[in-house]
Amino acid sequence: MSPRLDASPGETATSTPPAEDFALELDLPEIPPYDEVAPLDARALSKTLFERLESLEEGTHEYAYVRNTLVELNLALVKFAASRFRSRSEPMEDIIQVGTIGLIKAIDRFELSRGVEFPTFAMPTIVGEIKRFFRDTSWSVRVPRRLQELRLDLAKAGDELAQQLDRAPTIGELADRLGLSNDEVVEGMAASNAYTASSLDAQPEEDDSEGALADRIGYEDHGLEGIEYVESLKPLIAELPPRDRKILSLRFVANMTQSEIGEELGISQMHVSRLLSRTLMRLRKGLTLEE
């Protein structure tokens, strides 16, 4: 993801045209490394190059040379901005490359007529590009930018209220602090869970004997297999006579024996057996016809 320094605006490249060739063509002095140039000299030289850049036609070799020289001359701005993010987990080389893209965008947008020093103009663009990189790559699950910013606001407000109250703030207190509704605070707190994700196969740190997370967050519900049959039986049972429905309820819900059902209804056990067999056959036939 190395930025292209010899590209036209909005592009990136992997190589730079030979500096000595374009320096001869443009009658420009050879540019020494930035660490050999005093800051004031670098700013003065950048101003001269920006003046020359405005007079050149975009897309020409001369334009690319001057633009590339400005990038190399101001790379120290990128390194300074990248140093603010050294605590992040991303490699510093990647952060510098992303910041260089911001530097290129700043060079393409800079206008001397504004009367602003280039470092003052470029730094917000460089830092913004780096922050955008972290925003787009740090979240395990992509969430809207509004929720990403709300997460930061909640974290800041939570720390401030915790110091003032000497306890964790409630949802209502956070909502009052930020001028939000309770539902918005809850939504922001839920979105925070998407920032990092753990593997279902990861073992717990404190006790490996507990097994992976996937083994502890649920179980197989064998009752799910019978849901389709239960839903199909409901209308068939509703069509049965009241006595047949009661026999089914006593037998399969109350778990009563046929003899107990007979005593409950005042009929013989044999009669209960015949009625139960007839009812089950009717239900089985109804399911077969539906299928």
Side-chain angles (χ1 to χ4, degrees):
M1 64 187 247
S2 300
R4 297 176 51 193
L5 302 182
D6 63 340
S8 58
E11 298 181 347
T12 55
T14 56
S15 61
T16 304
E20 58 273 13
D21 294 345
F22 292 135
L24 291 174
E25 292 180 16
L26 299 175
D27 193 23
L28 292 173
E30 184 176 352
I31 306 301
Y34 186 87
D35 56 2
E36 298 179 13
V37 181
L40 293 178
D41 292 340
R43 292 189 181 188
L45 186 54
S46 292
K47 183 177 181 181
T48 300
L49 292 174
F50 272 116
E51 291 174 350
R52 176 61 66 89
L53 192 67
E54 291 181 353
S55 65
L56 296 174
E57 182 179 355
E58 185 177 330
T60 62
H61 292 304
E62 294 84 355
Y63 183 95
Y65 168 72
V66 175
R67 182 168 174 259
N68 296 341
T69 304
L70 282 168
V71 172
E72 295 175 1
L73 193 62
N74 291 279
L75 277 177
L77 296 175
V78 176
K79 295 177 180 178
F80 175 78
S83 66
R84 298 171 54 183
F85 301 91
R86 64 168 62 92
S87 61
R88 299 296 186 97
S89 59
E90 295 292 334
M92 181 55 63
E93 293 79 4
D94 290 351
I95 301 176
I96 291 176
Q97 289 176 6
V98 172
T100 304
I101 295 175
L103 174 62
I104 294 173
K105 291 181 178 180
I107 291 174
D108 293 337
R109 299 169 184 169
F110 182 67
E111 297 177 5
L112 283 172
S113 58
R114 295 182 179 182
V116 179
E117 290 285 347
F118 178 69
T120 304
F121 173 83
M123 191 58 68
T125 304
I126 296 171
V127 173
E129 195 71 24
I130 295 174
K131 287 183 176 180
R132 186 178 299 109
F133 166 72
F134 283 116
R135 186 181 66 238
D136 293 341
T137 60
S138 297
W139 286 74
S140 298
V141 179
R142 181 66 175 168
V143 300
R145 182 175 180 179
R146 173 182 64 86
L147 294 179
Q148 295 181 17
E149 295 174 348
L150 179 57
R151 170 184 172 271
L152 297 177
D153 293 339
L154 286 172
K156 182 179 179 181
D159 291 341
E160 294 174 352
L161 287 173
Q163 292 179 357
Q164 296 175 8
L165 303 173
D166 198 23
R167 60 172 174 80
T170 64
I171 293 177
E173 290 168 342
L174 287 170
D176 292 339
R177 182 62 171 260
L178 297 175
L180 303 172
S181 66
N182 289 352
D183 290 341
E184 289 175 317
V185 172
V186 172
E187 184 181 18
M189 295 172 69
S192 300
N193 296 329
Y195 188 74
T196 56
S198 299
S199 172
L200 293 178
D201 296 325
Q203 296 289 336
E205 297 180 0
E206 65 280 359
D207 186 4
D208 291 344
S209 63
E210 293 186 10
L213 181 61
D215 299 331
R216 296 180 282 118
I217 60 175
Y219 61 92
E220 185 176 357
D221 188 354
H222 298 286
L224 292 175
E225 300 177 357
I227 289 180
E228 181 180 354
Y229 294 109
V230 171
E231 293 301 317
S232 299
L233 280 171
K234 283 182 179 180
L236 298 177
I237 294 175
E239 296 175 355
L240 294 174
R243 186 175 65 173
D244 292 347
R245 290 202 304 269
K246 185 167 185 177
I247 291 175
L248 283 178
S249 178
L250 294 174
R251 179 68 185 91
F252 297 104
V253 178
N255 291 322
M256 296 174 62
T257 65
Q258 293 183 3
S259 299
E260 292 172 338
I261 296 173
E263 294 177 1
E264 176 75 17
L265 300 180
I267 57 179
S268 67
Q269 181 268 332
M270 291 296 296
H271 194 189
V272 171
S273 178
R274 287 194 296 269
L275 291 175
L276 189 58
S277 298
R278 185 187 65 185
T279 302
L280 293 177
M281 185 179 297
R282 177 178 177 179
L283 293 176
R284 191 177 295 111
K285 184 178 180 181
L287 287 176
T288 304
L289 292 176
E290 283 190 2
E291 293 176 358

XYZ file of all heavy atoms in Angstrom, residues 132-145 147-148 191 194-195:
167
model
N -8.831 8.352 9.641
C -9.784 7.637 8.788
C -9.315 6.193 8.565
O -10.127 5.270 8.514
C -9.923 8.354 7.451
C -11.008 7.783 6.541
C -11.128 8.564 5.249
N -11.480 9.950 5.513
C -10.649 10.984 5.354
N -9.396 10.762 4.941
N -11.034 12.203 5.602
N -8.022 6.014 8.443
C -7.468 4.671 8.282
C -7.792 3.794 9.491
O -8.243 2.655 9.344
C -5.955 4.771 8.092
C -5.220 3.467 8.239
C -5.315 2.486 7.265
C -4.430 3.227 9.353
C -4.635 1.280 7.401
C -3.753 2.033 9.495
C -3.849 1.057 8.517
N -7.610 4.346 10.697
C -7.919 3.571 11.895
C -9.421 3.332 12.017
O -9.856 2.257 12.445
C -7.403 4.299 13.139
C -5.920 4.168 13.340
C -5.094 5.274 13.281
C -5.353 2.939 13.576
C -3.731 5.152 13.461
C -3.991 2.799 13.759
C -3.171 3.913 13.704
N -10.225 4.320 11.667
C -11.672 4.162 11.756
C -12.171 3.062 10.822
O -13.076 2.305 11.163
C -12.359 5.483 11.407
C -13.875 5.449 11.623
C -14.522 6.768 11.256
N -14.427 7.043 9.846
C -13.855 8.116 9.323
N -13.284 9.007 10.100
N -13.811 8.312 8.022
N -11.559 2.954 9.647
C -12.032 1.991 8.656
C -11.472 0.597 8.865
O -12.008 -0.377 8.335
C -11.660 2.472 7.247
C -12.407 3.737 6.854
O -13.435 4.029 7.488
O -11.952 4.426 5.921
N -10.376 0.467 9.607
C -9.727 -0.843 9.728
C -9.760 -1.409 11.139
O -9.538 -2.603 11.318
C -8.261 -0.771 9.267
O -7.540 0.186 10.081
C -8.180 -0.344 7.807
N -10.021 -0.593 12.162
C -9.898 -1.067 13.543
C -11.137 -1.824 14.020
O -11.046 -2.642 14.928
C -9.636 0.114 14.489
O -8.404 0.733 14.169
N -12.305 -1.546 13.439
C -13.538 -2.164 13.916
C -13.668 -3.575 13.360
O -13.499 -3.810 12.173
C -14.741 -1.323 13.494
C -14.878 -0.065 14.285
C -14.103 1.052 14.173
C -15.832 0.205 15.313
N -14.518 1.999 15.076
C -15.574 1.511 15.784
C -16.865 -0.537 15.875
C -16.318 2.085 16.798
C -17.619 0.036 16.880
C -17.350 1.338 17.331
N -13.992 -4.515 14.244
C -14.183 -5.899 13.807
C -15.447 -6.036 12.958
O -15.497 -6.825 12.023
C -14.284 -6.829 15.026
O -13.089 -6.783 15.772
N -16.470 -5.276 13.309
C -17.727 -5.273 12.555
C -18.003 -3.838 12.120
O -17.930 -2.926 12.927
C -18.908 -5.797 13.404
C -20.198 -5.760 12.603
C -18.632 -7.216 13.891
N -18.284 -3.659 10.862
C -18.496 -2.317 10.320
C -19.790 -1.731 10.850
O -20.857 -2.335 10.739
C -18.554 -2.392 8.796
C -18.739 -1.057 8.109
C -17.546 -0.169 8.310
N -17.662 1.073 7.554
C -16.882 2.121 7.727
N -15.935 2.068 8.647
N -17.021 3.191 6.999
N -19.710 -0.537 11.455
C -20.895 0.158 11.955
C -20.890 1.560 11.377
O -19.844 2.056 10.946
C -20.916 0.216 13.508
C -20.911 -1.174 14.098
C -19.730 1.007 14.041
N -22.037 2.240 11.342
C -22.082 3.594 10.797
C -21.134 4.539 11.536
O -20.850 4.363 12.726
C -23.551 4.003 11.002
C -24.295 2.715 11.086
C -23.359 1.744 11.740
N -20.661 5.543 10.825
C -19.727 6.503 11.427
C -20.351 7.195 12.627
O -19.674 7.521 13.599
C -19.315 7.538 10.369
C -18.307 8.562 10.892
C -17.828 9.482 9.791
N -16.876 10.447 10.279
C -16.282 11.360 9.525
N -16.546 11.406 8.224
N -15.420 12.214 10.044
N -22.250 5.979 14.890
C -22.091 5.145 16.075
C -20.633 5.046 16.498
O -20.329 4.913 17.682
C -22.658 3.752 15.805
C -24.169 3.687 15.581
C -24.613 2.263 15.295
C -24.912 4.231 16.796
N -19.714 5.103 15.538
C -18.298 5.104 15.890
C -17.949 6.348 16.710
O -17.232 6.273 17.712
C -17.451 5.050 14.618
C -17.608 3.759 13.824
C -16.731 3.750 12.589
O -15.798 4.530 12.459
N -17.046 2.864 11.651
N -23.112 -0.713 20.110
C -22.176 -0.619 18.983
C -20.739 -0.810 19.435
O -19.896 -1.286 18.674
C -22.338 0.735 18.288
N -18.954 -4.056 18.890
C -18.487 -4.434 17.556
C -17.048 -4.008 17.309
O -16.478 -4.322 16.268
C -19.394 -3.802 16.484
N -16.441 -3.279 18.270
C -15.076 -2.783 18.045
C -14.074 -3.933 17.990
O -13.180 -3.966 17.159
C -14.690 -1.797 19.147
C -13.379 -1.104 18.886
C -13.291 -0.105 17.920
C -12.231 -1.453 19.583
C -12.090 0.519 17.664
C -11.027 -0.827 19.337
C -10.968 0.165 18.379
O -9.771 0.779 18.122
